[in-house]
Amino acid sequence: MNDISRPGKIIAVHLNYRSRAAQRGRTPAQPSYFFKPSSSIAGTGGELERPAGTELLAFEGEIALIIGRTARRVKPEEGWEFVSGVTAANDFGLYDLRAADKGSNLRSKGGDGFTPLGPVVLPAAELDPDALRVRTWLNGDLVQEGTTDDLLFPFGRLIADLSQLMTLEPGDIILTGTPAGSSVTVPGDTVEVEVDAPRAPGAPSTGRLVTRITEGSIPFGDFGTKPSVDDLQRAEAYGTPPTPGFVLTDELRAKLASVATATLSSQLRKRGLDNVSIDGLTSTRPGVKVVGTARTLRYIPSREDLFASHGGGYNAQKRAFDSVGAGEVLVIEARGERGSGTVGDVLALRAQVNGAAGIVTDGGVRDLAVVAALDIPTYHNGPHPAVLGRKHVPWDTDVTVACGGASVQPGDVIVGDADGLLVIPPPLVEEVVADAIEQERQEEFIAEQVSEGARVDGLFPMNAEWKERYRAWLTQR
């Protein structure tokens, strides 16, 4: 590790990749930072202990800049000149302690071994700062990939910004942010990070920075903040955008599953919501009810240069299918374009393995017979054998999308059956499903009366006399 084993300062950027900002649901206008202690530095091949009594230890693969000479009040276009080397970093963080220091991240990010670096330092003079790549693997699976053309704030700008206030000294390290795909790691996992310059001569690489996760055995004492987590911290740690103020509980799921979408639709219409149906799609499992919160993926029309920059690697499509979680529905905007596949058998299987409740696309599906044989319901606009790039560029995730003529926001509740799909705004879910259950009870009573020979007039809808009989019927049940 040599010159990076004990830097004077470690400065980390909060948000700096567009993909991560989209995942978080916020894009900063200016960079912001936090410090990490030099005692958090570790090398490659070591073990990192997840402290006893904690559950949300998250990895963040990053590009680390090593300052080579003193920088004070430098210009953005000069910033890169003050970097001597680049290496791989893993900015580990413990979400269980995020509340402990109110944003400083001192304890949540400052633990021993929480900043592995290495193994090789690449000379900055031989690199183009706009053509670097960072990748992260979890147990051998690629889970993060970002390139520096996706940065919100280029490296030179970071150095200029920081040097306005403080002197950057030789050996100081700047952690430059992580792309989308950061998530939780558990004891037994192995996390690897690599930084390279794939288009440079010889494709120089830092090699893989390897960290093995172990379980701690010594609990936190009573003389400081204890670890604690909630659903918001879990959502952010796992990379799932939260829906503030609303949780789709198991009880609510069961209630929504117990009523027909037709009934829910009528209740939404009573509340003035006529444009909440996702239309024109076919389900691979029409007999299976779909209930879940929306995650979203947006495709834009294909353009060769944009597909070259956004269609390869760990693109938005792969990130969406990797991150969709249990009980969630991945809703895809494909502009109703049927001339290309938007999901195939492998990605549909990935969503199923993750426990997703369903997939909804207003585009085509490749390998339809295989997708239809899976357990996960997929609503689609027809089969097509062509690959994604023929018509689409995977652009972004967890943004408001249009699908089947309906607007869908991350966190909206999606309900589907053989009659179709509905989008229910979270604030309305409880009252809509409660009234839908009551409506179906009344309809059951009405149907029972009609089957016994009652006339429809005055019964459907019920007049005062029939409403009294209905209340008596309820008490008997």
Side-chain angles (χ1 to χ4, degrees):
M1 298 288 291
N2 299 324
D3 59 330
I4 57 174
S5 60
R6 272 291 186 267
K9 297 187 286 292
I10 305 171
I11 304 170
V13 183
H14 281 112
L15 275 175
N16 198 22
Y17 282 81
R18 291 182 179 87
S19 63
R20 179 69 162 172
Q23 187 180 42
R24 288 297 201 202
R26 61 183 186 274
T27 301
Q30 301 292 345
S32 62
Y33 314 90
F34 59 94
F35 279 112
K36 299 191 77 171
S38 60
S39 55
S40 68
I41 294 289
T44 189
E47 295 183 342
L48 175 61
E49 177 185 289
R50 186 184 74 175
T54 65
E55 64 172 273
L56 300 178
L57 177 64
F59 59 84
E60 295 182 6
E62 305 200 11
I63 298 171
L65 309 181
I66 303 165
I67 298 299
R69 57 193 180 95
T70 302
R72 180 74 164 113
R73 295 194 177 99
V74 304
K75 298 176 181 178
E77 59 270 22
E78 300 170 341
W80 182 249
E81 301 172 11
F82 293 82
V83 179
S84 63
V86 168
T87 195
N90 201 331
D91 179 18
F92 281 102
L94 196 62
Y95 280 71
D96 310 61
L97 289 176
R98 280 180 99 191
D101 299 298
K102 305 301 182 185
S104 77
N105 292 335
L106 178 62
R107 280 173 282 187
S108 63
K109 291 273 195 174
D112 288 353
F114 275 34
T115 315
L117 297 171
V120 174
V121 175
L122 302 177
E126 301 174 10
L127 302 173
D128 177 355
D130 297 323
L132 299 178
R133 175 175 65 174
V134 59
R135 291 180 292 175
T136 307
W137 292 263
L138 179 63
N139 299 324
D141 293 330
L142 182 66
V143 291
Q144 285 188 287
E145 182 171 359
T147 55
T148 47
D149 60 2
D150 190 43
L151 290 176
L152 292 166
F153 313 112
F155 297 150
R157 179 172 172 179
L158 299 178
I159 293 167
D161 183 29
L162 289 165
S163 70
Q164 293 184 97
L165 181 65
M166 67 184 74
T167 299
L168 299 177
E169 301 170 316
D172 287 350
I173 289 172
I174 301 174
L175 305 183
T176 58
T178 195
S182 164
S183 193
V184 171
T185 185
V186 298
D189 285 347
T190 296
V191 188
E192 301 169 276
V193 182
E194 179 186 23
V195 172
D196 65 352
R199 298 197 298 272
S205 167
T206 63
R208 293 198 185 185
L209 171 66
V210 181
T211 306
R212 290 181 293 274
I213 310 302
T214 64
E215 181 69 273
S217 58
I218 302 174
F220 284 86
D222 295 330
F223 37 82
T225 302
K226 290 288 191 73
S228 105
V229 297
D230 54 27
D231 287 341
L232 174 59
Q233 298 304 329
R234 289 188 180 94
E236 293 208 344
Y238 279 97
T240 304
T243 305
F246 174 79
V247 176
L248 184 58
T249 63
D250 290 342
E251 181 182 4
L252 273 178
R253 286 180 189 274
K255 289 179 177 179
L256 288 165
S258 72
V259 293
T261 55
T263 311
L264 293 168
S265 178
S266 68
Q267 289 298 327
L268 289 166
R269 283 200 307 274
K270 289 180 180 179
R271 291 161 173 83
L273 291 172
D274 293 318
N275 299 302
V276 288
S277 62
I278 301 176
D279 297 333
L281 308 184
T282 301
S283 175
T284 59
R285 302 289 305 280
V288 176
K289 190 72 172 279
V290 172
V291 179
T293 50
R295 298 288 300 280
T296 62
L297 167 62
R298 176 174 170 248
Y299 295 133
I300 64 172
S302 187
R303 202 176 88 184
E304 288 77 6
D305 60 326
L306 296 179
F307 193 85
S309 62
H310 287 75
Y314 198 52
N315 59 35
Q317 181 196 52
K318 293 177 181 177
R319 296 197 303 270
F321 278 91
D322 261 350
S323 65
V324 65
E328 295 176 333
V329 179
L330 183 58
V331 181
I332 302 171
E333 175 183 335
R335 311 174 312 285
E337 173 57 65
R338 302 177 58 184
S340 166
T342 58
V343 57
D345 56 346
V346 172
L347 292 178
L349 178 61
R350 176 62 172 156
Q352 176 176 298
V353 170
N354 285 353
I359 301 167
V360 179
T361 176
D362 62 355
V365 171
R366 295 185 72 206
D367 315 302
L368 181 58
V370 181
V371 173
L374 296 174
D375 293 333
I376 186 171
T378 298
Y379 286 78
H380 62 92
N381 200 12
H384 202 283
V387 295
L388 187 70
R390 181 171 184 266
K391 293 289 184 179
H392 305 290
V393 179
W395 197 250
D396 48 14
T397 61
D398 295 318
V399 295
T400 300
V401 299
C403 183
S407 297
V408 181
Q409 295 192 299
D412 282 344
V413 173
I414 307 298
V415 181
D417 59 17
D419 284 342
L421 288 154
L422 291 174
V423 183
I424 307 177
L428 294 179
V429 170
E430 294 196 36
E431 65 177 81
V432 164
V433 73
D435 288 353
I437 291 171
E438 173 59 20
Q439 179 182 331
E440 291 200 346
R441 285 199 197 100
Q442 293 182 16
E443 291 174 352
E444 180 187 355
F445 169 75
I446 291 168
E448 184 178 302
Q449 304 311 308
V450 171
S451 69
E452 293 175 359
R455 292 167 54 86
V456 173
D457 185 36
L459 174 61
F460 186 61
M462 289 185 285
N463 58 24
E465 179 184 351
W466 276 114
K467 286 180 179 178
E468 186 62 34
R469 293 186 186 183
Y470 169 65
R471 284 190 285 269
W473 179 82
L474 282 179
T475 60
Q476 292 170 4
R477 290 168 60 86

